[in-house]
PDB file of all heavy atoms in Angstrom:
ATOM      1  N   GLU A1187     -20.419  -0.131   3.681  1.00 84.00           N
ATOM      2  CA  GLU A1187     -21.868  -0.282   3.703  1.00 84.00           C
ATOM      3  C   GLU A1187     -22.510   0.940   4.504  1.00 84.00           C
ATOM      4  O   GLU A1187     -23.483   1.514   4.059  1.00 84.00           O
ATOM      5  CB  GLU A1187     -22.329  -1.581   4.316  1.00 84.00           C
ATOM      6  CG  GLU A1187     -23.851  -1.751   4.307  1.00 84.00           C
ATOM      7  CD  GLU A1187     -24.279  -3.143   4.672  1.00 84.00           C
ATOM      8  OE1 GLU A1187     -23.559  -3.838   5.439  1.00 84.00           O
ATOM      9  OE2 GLU A1187     -25.369  -3.530   4.249  1.00 84.00           O
ATOM     10  N   ARG A1188     -21.923   1.290   5.605  1.00 86.00           N
ATOM     11  CA  ARG A1188     -22.455   2.408   6.418  1.00 86.00           C
ATOM     12  C   ARG A1188     -22.353   3.695   5.643  1.00 86.00           C
ATOM     13  O   ARG A1188     -23.302   4.487   5.642  1.00 86.00           O
ATOM     14  CB  ARG A1188     -21.717   2.489   7.764  1.00 86.00           C
ATOM     15  CG  ARG A1188     -22.148   1.449   8.772  1.00 86.00           C
ATOM     16  CD  ARG A1188     -21.532   1.641  10.161  1.00 86.00           C
ATOM     17  NE  ARG A1188     -20.120   1.436  10.184  1.00 86.00           N
ATOM     18  CZ  ARG A1188     -19.571   0.160  10.220  1.00 86.00           C
ATOM     19  NH1 ARG A1188     -20.336  -0.906  10.232  1.00 86.00           N
ATOM     20  NH2 ARG A1188     -18.275   0.008  10.293  1.00 86.00           N
ATOM     21  N   ASN A1189     -21.249   3.913   4.949  1.00 86.00           N
ATOM     22  CA  ASN A1189     -21.086   5.156   4.152  1.00 86.00           C
ATOM     23  C   ASN A1189     -22.117   5.228   2.992  1.00 86.00           C
ATOM     24  O   ASN A1189     -22.746   6.242   2.783  1.00 86.00           O
ATOM     25  CB  ASN A1189     -19.696   5.283   3.633  1.00 86.00           C
ATOM     26  CG  ASN A1189     -18.694   5.610   4.662  1.00 86.00           C
ATOM     27  OD1 ASN A1189     -19.038   6.139   5.725  1.00 86.00           O
ATOM     28  ND2 ASN A1189     -17.428   5.309   4.428  1.00 86.00           N
ATOM     29  N   LEU A1190     -22.267   4.093   2.280  1.00 87.00           N
ATOM     30  CA  LEU A1190     -23.230   4.062   1.222  1.00 87.00           C
ATOM     31  C   LEU A1190     -24.672   4.185   1.726  1.00 87.00           C
ATOM     32  O   LEU A1190     -25.469   4.880   1.127  1.00 87.00           O
ATOM     33  CB  LEU A1190     -23.077   2.722   0.421  1.00 87.00           C
ATOM     34  CG  LEU A1190     -21.858   2.606  -0.488  1.00 87.00           C
ATOM     35  CD1 LEU A1190     -21.783   1.214  -1.058  1.00 87.00           C
ATOM     36  CD2 LEU A1190     -21.904   3.628  -1.558  1.00 87.00           C
ATOM     37  N   HIS A1191     -24.907   3.558   2.864  1.00 88.00           N
ATOM     38  CA  HIS A1191     -26.241   3.649   3.451  1.00 88.00           C
ATOM     39  C   HIS A1191     -26.599   5.088   3.811  1.00 88.00           C
ATOM     40  O   HIS A1191     -27.712   5.531   3.557  1.00 88.00           O
ATOM     41  CB  HIS A1191     -26.304   2.781   4.731  1.00 88.00           C
ATOM     42  CG  HIS A1191     -27.621   2.139   4.930  1.00 88.00           C
ATOM     43  ND1 HIS A1191     -28.718   2.822   5.407  1.00 88.00           N
ATOM     44  CD2 HIS A1191     -28.042   0.834   4.771  1.00 88.00           C
ATOM     45  CE1 HIS A1191     -29.743   2.013   5.533  1.00 88.00           C
ATOM     46  NE2 HIS A1191     -29.348   0.828   5.145  1.00 88.00           N
ATOM     47  N   GLY A1192     -25.637   5.828   4.324  1.00 88.00           N
ATOM     48  CA  GLY A1192     -25.831   7.222   4.623  1.00 88.00           C
ATOM     49  C   GLY A1192     -26.184   8.037   3.387  1.00 88.00           C
ATOM     50  O   GLY A1192     -27.113   8.887   3.416  1.00 88.00           O
ATOM     51  N   LEU A1193     -25.499   7.814   2.270  1.00 86.00           N
ATOM     52  CA  LEU A1193     -25.793   8.541   1.055  1.00 86.00           C
ATOM     53  C   LEU A1193     -27.169   8.172   0.518  1.00 86.00           C
ATOM     54  O   LEU A1193     -27.952   9.038   0.123  1.00 86.00           O
ATOM     55  CB  LEU A1193     -24.710   8.211   0.003  1.00 86.00           C
ATOM     56  CG  LEU A1193     -23.345   8.824   0.251  1.00 86.00           C
ATOM     57  CD1 LEU A1193     -22.322   8.228  -0.742  1.00 86.00           C
ATOM     58  CD2 LEU A1193     -23.370  10.321   0.152  1.00 86.00           C
ATOM     59  N   PHE A1194     -27.485   6.918   0.492  1.00 89.00           N
ATOM     60  CA  PHE A1194     -28.762   6.455  -0.066  1.00 89.00           C
ATOM     61  C   PHE A1194     -29.927   6.899   0.874  1.00 89.00           C
ATOM     62  O   PHE A1194     -31.009   7.125   0.382  1.00 89.00           O
ATOM     63  CB  PHE A1194     -28.822   4.928  -0.218  1.00 89.00           C
ATOM     64  CG  PHE A1194     -28.154   4.437  -1.503  1.00 89.00           C
ATOM     65  CD1 PHE A1194     -26.998   3.743  -1.453  1.00 89.00           C
ATOM     66  CD2 PHE A1194     -28.698   4.773  -2.730  1.00 89.00           C
ATOM     67  CE1 PHE A1194     -26.368   3.283  -2.599  1.00 89.00           C
ATOM     68  CE2 PHE A1194     -28.092   4.344  -3.888  1.00 89.00           C
ATOM     69  CZ  PHE A1194     -26.948   3.618  -3.834  1.00 89.00           C
ATOM     70  N   ASN A1195     -29.692   7.038   2.168  1.00 89.00           N
ATOM     71  CA  ASN A1195     -30.760   7.510   3.079  1.00 89.00           C
ATOM     72  C   ASN A1195     -31.226   8.858   2.694  1.00 89.00           C
ATOM     73  O   ASN A1195     -32.438   9.154   2.881  1.00 89.00           O
ATOM     74  CB  ASN A1195     -30.303   7.438   4.537  1.00 89.00           C
ATOM     75  CG  ASN A1195     -30.523   6.069   5.128  1.00 89.00           C
ATOM     76  OD1 ASN A1195     -31.295   5.254   4.628  1.00 89.00           O
ATOM     77  ND2 ASN A1195     -29.809   5.794   6.221  1.00 89.00           N
ATOM     78  N   ILE A1196     -30.357   9.714   2.223  1.00 86.00           N
ATOM     79  CA  ILE A1196     -30.774  11.070   1.799  1.00 86.00           C
ATOM     80  C   ILE A1196     -31.763  10.941   0.650  1.00 86.00           C
ATOM     81  O   ILE A1196     -32.830  11.590   0.641  1.00 86.00           O
ATOM     82  CB  ILE A1196     -29.553  11.908   1.363  1.00 86.00           C
ATOM     83  CG1 ILE A1196     -28.626  12.152   2.584  1.00 86.00           C
ATOM     84  CG2 ILE A1196     -30.006  13.223   0.745  1.00 86.00           C
ATOM     85  CD1 ILE A1196     -27.292  12.742   2.197  1.00 86.00           C
ATOM     86  N   ILE A1197     -31.497  10.061  -0.277  1.00 86.00           N
ATOM     87  CA  ILE A1197     -32.415   9.846  -1.440  1.00 86.00           C
ATOM     88  C   ILE A1197     -33.684   9.202  -0.979  1.00 86.00           C
ATOM     89  O   ILE A1197     -34.795   9.575  -1.358  1.00 86.00           O
ATOM     90  CB  ILE A1197     -31.717   9.044  -2.538  1.00 86.00           C
ATOM     91  CG1 ILE A1197     -30.515   9.829  -3.095  1.00 86.00           C
ATOM     92  CG2 ILE A1197     -32.685   8.665  -3.618  1.00 86.00           C
ATOM     93  CD1 ILE A1197     -29.583   9.065  -3.967  1.00 86.00           C
ATOM     94  N   ILE A1198     -33.562   8.195  -0.109  1.00 89.00           N
ATOM     95  CA  ILE A1198     -34.742   7.471   0.351  1.00 89.00           C
ATOM     96  C   ILE A1198     -35.653   8.385   1.163  1.00 89.00           C
ATOM     97  O   ILE A1198     -36.882   8.343   1.029  1.00 89.00           O
ATOM     98  CB  ILE A1198     -34.331   6.231   1.151  1.00 89.00           C
ATOM     99  CG1 ILE A1198     -33.716   5.196   0.200  1.00 89.00           C
ATOM    100  CG2 ILE A1198     -35.466   5.637   1.951  1.00 89.00           C
ATOM    101  CD1 ILE A1198     -32.995   4.028   0.822  1.00 89.00           C
ATOM    102  N   ASN A1199     -35.107   9.271   1.974  1.00 88.00           N
ATOM    103  CA  ASN A1199     -35.916  10.246   2.725  1.00 88.00           C
ATOM    104  C   ASN A1199     -36.706  11.110   1.767  1.00 88.00           C
ATOM    105  O   ASN A1199     -37.885  11.457   2.024  1.00 88.00           O
ATOM    106  CB  ASN A1199     -35.055  11.104   3.664  1.00 88.00           C
ATOM    107  CG  ASN A1199     -34.518  10.287   4.805  1.00 88.00           C
ATOM    108  OD1 ASN A1199     -35.050   9.230   5.176  1.00 88.00           O
ATOM    109  ND2 ASN A1199     -33.445  10.792   5.386  1.00 88.00           N
TER     110      ASN A1199
END
Side-chain angles (χ1 to χ4, degrees):
E1187 183 171 27
R1188 284 187 289 283
N1189 288 339
L1190 287 173
H1191 214 285
L1193 290 172
F1194 279 113
N1195 273 341
I1196 295 169
I1197 295 168
I1198 289 168
N1199 290 339

